[in-house]
Amino acid sequence: MSSFVVVANRLPVDSVTRPDGSHEWVPSPGGLVTALSPVLKEHEGCWVGWPGTTDDTHPLEPFRTEDVILLHPVSLSATDYEEFYEGFSNATLWPLYHDLIVPPIYERTWWHTYREVNLRFAEHAAKVADHGATVWVQDYQLQLVPGILRQLRPDVKIGFFLHIPFPSADLFRQLPWREEVVRGLLGADVIGFHLPSYANNFLSLARQVSGASGSHTGQPDTLTVHGTARMRERNAIVEAPDGRRVHVAAFPISIDIGSMSQPDAQAVADIRRRLGNPRHLFLGVDRLDYTKGILQRLEAVEQLLESGSLDPAETVLVQIATPSRERIAQYRKERRRVEEAVGRINGRFGQLGHPVVHYVHRTVPKSELSACYAAADVMLVTAFKDGMNLVAKEYAAMHPDGSGALVLSEFAGAAEELPESFLCNPHDLESVKRAIYNAVYTLEHQPEEAQRRMRALHTQVHEHDVQLWARSFLSFLKEPA
């Protein structure tokens, strides 16, 4: 039994096949794992999640990682994976939460599987949680877990954090199962979002769905499942028959600064040399996802090359596009469109042995990625919608000297914390082009202003890391303000 339990869709490990055919579990990279590992060790906690395999005929027993974190695997069948993860989580909720960039699919069979899998996760958490334990549930795949767990284990304290945006109430109300999802979330004691605007969207939705009324100002706010809203100072309080309150607040997530070592100067120089020592080195690092605006940034660079604002002989764009959800039709379509654009740009502006766009469709080792961050003159983050976007923060962390510039979508959550970026509207190609041009112009003609901007970004990222995020949430869960 554990006094601190993390519940997430995936366990923080990956299965790796050795040369002799045997398997071993290795820690998977990620700031969430790094931030929560000290808490898990301190409280002898455990992590409940799916191990990444769909063989539910031989369920895995609990096991420990190399740093002795106890893992409790939750088995999923191939059908579970298709309908719970690829279906409801990523073809229904993902586009809905990202402002309908593509149309969500509302399939009742997927919903039933989503509900059954959430029940399975909640039951696992209920079995391993000690009396009065703290259970922290993560992200959109498990939004029903807090409500189910509240029924199974009313003694535990439950937190929930959403790692993606939360849409406006008008959009969310399209979901046929909106009441069930809201009730599931309201099983938590604290619901966390990246931004106050996301929290406010949820507060508005919860009042509409639950029939409560009233207005609110400030963060955090409190809600309960039933009742009538009334104002009390800065908090909106909905009183339930059992008197339980659900607190809603914003906790912007960040990166693990300690795990990001500064690459040596030779590694950075080697990157630029291999790319032909361009005058302007642009970088994009994304999952190949239709929300990331990869195609739009490629088209913006193409038009700048076409107009002569950028010289193809002096310009290189490195686009790292990590494979993602490739069995989903919209993701396959996005990959095809991106790769067609890469080929077109290189066909129009590249030379033999010197393409303008260097496209990498695979996972890049962390050391090489850090060198790319440090080598790039301009980072391009042009997401149509993003809960936060940690790539922007990773780039800022790699430029302590104030070099470089960040072009950042105003619809990425990071834009609220990094206003010194060159902000753009990714839906407006002229806005993206203007931000790229201004970033290049400032670097070349206003170096002091460029350094001021980047040093401000670097300071923000260093002072607000992922450990601060975890401590803030858990402290609030323990003693709400």
Side-chain angles (χ1 to χ4, degrees), residues 249-278:
F251 304 89
I253 200 169
S254 193
I255 60 175
D256 176 29
I257 294 293
S259 70
M260 297 193 67
S261 57
Q262 200 73 29
D264 62 57
Q266 187 58 52
V268 175
D270 285 346
I271 290 283
R272 295 192 70 99
R273 177 184 53 78
R274 286 159 53 193
L275 296 170
N277 287 316

Side-chain angles (χ1 to χ4, degrees), residues 16-325:
V16 174
T17 304
R18 298 192 189 99
D20 62 4
S22 61
H23 294 269
E24 67 174 333
W25 294 101
V26 299
S28 55
L32 182 62
V33 182
T34 304
L36 297 183
S37 290
V39 186
L40 287 162
K41 293 174 187 176
E42 177 185 353
H43 297 282
E44 296 185 354
C46 70
W47 190 301
V48 175
W50 176 53
T53 62
T54 54
D55 181 10
D56 62 340
T57 58
H58 299 90
L60 291 169
E61 294 296 320
F63 62 98
R64 293 186 181 274
T65 61
E66 293 178 358
D67 52 358
V68 301
I69 295 175
L70 181 61
L71 306 181
H72 281 267
V74 178
S75 297
L76 296 183
S77 67
T79 300
D80 291 334
Y81 180 78
E82 292 171 9
E83 297 182 353
F84 154 73
Y85 182 74
E86 292 184 328
F88 196 81
S89 294
N90 290 309
T92 301
L93 295 178
W94 182 266
L96 176 64
Y97 283 34
H98 287 82
D99 292 354
L100 313 184
I101 294 172
V102 303
I105 300 172
Y106 301 123
E107 171 58 56
R108 187 163 295 276
T109 302
W110 294 353
W111 162 250
H112 288 299
T113 305
Y114 181 85
R115 188 172 55 189
E116 291 167 5
V117 170
N118 272 247
L119 172 62
R120 201 176 310 159
F121 274 83
E123 289 174 338
H124 275 72
K127 289 178 182 177
V128 301
D130 203 351
H131 182 79
T134 294
V135 181
W136 195 2
V137 184
Q138 307 290 328
D139 222 1
Y140 65 106
Q141 302 95 343
L142 303 176
Q143 292 176 111
L144 305 184
V145 169
I148 300 170
L149 186 60
R150 175 68 57 195
Q151 297 178 44
L152 297 174
R153 293 290 304 274
D155 61 293
V156 302
K157 189 173 286 289
I158 304 170
F160 177 89
F161 188 82
L162 185 70
H163 291 264
I164 65 175
F166 196 86
S168 69
D170 286 345
L171 289 183
F172 190 95
R173 282 163 47 208
Q174 292 186 15
L175 185 68
W177 309 279
R178 58 197 187 186
E179 290 88 356
E180 291 93 330
V181 172
V182 170
R183 283 200 299 268
L185 291 170
L186 289 171
D189 296 290
V190 173
I191 305 173
F193 300 89
H194 287 303
L195 303 179
S197 58
Y198 304 158
N200 289 333
N201 285 346
F202 176 77
L203 289 165
S204 176
L205 172 71
R207 290 189 180 88
Q208 293 179 33
V209 169
S210 68
S213 61
S215 59
H216 66 278
T217 56
Q219 294 285 341
D221 293 298
T222 58
L223 286 170
T224 47
V225 181
H226 306 290
T228 302
R230 66 178 184 179
M231 289 299 300
R232 182 180 296 168
E233 297 178 352
R234 292 173 59 85
N235 294 336
I237 301 172
V238 184
E239 296 185 342
D242 63 0
R244 190 175 64 84
R245 298 174 179 176
V246 178
H247 297 260
V248 180
F251 304 89
I253 200 169
S254 193
I255 60 175
D256 176 29
I257 294 293
S259 70
M260 297 193 67
S261 57
Q262 200 73 29
D264 62 57
Q266 187 58 52
V268 175
D270 285 346
I271 290 283
R272 295 192 70 99
R273 177 184 53 78
R274 286 159 53 193
L275 296 170
N277 287 316
R279 181 180 176 186
H280 307 302
L281 175 53
F282 299 99
L283 176 65
V285 178
D286 312 83
R287 286 187 309 104
L288 214 171
D289 189 299
Y290 54 77
T291 65
K292 300 300 184 181
I294 300 172
L295 180 62
Q296 284 62 35
R297 86 180 55 137
L298 289 169
E299 291 176 344
V301 169
E302 181 178 22
Q303 291 188 17
L304 289 169
L305 292 167
E306 189 174 45
S307 67
S309 299
L310 293 175
D311 184 347
E314 299 179 329
T315 301
V316 167
L317 166 59
V318 174
Q319 177 60 60
I320 298 171
T322 306
S324 177
R325 303 168 188 164

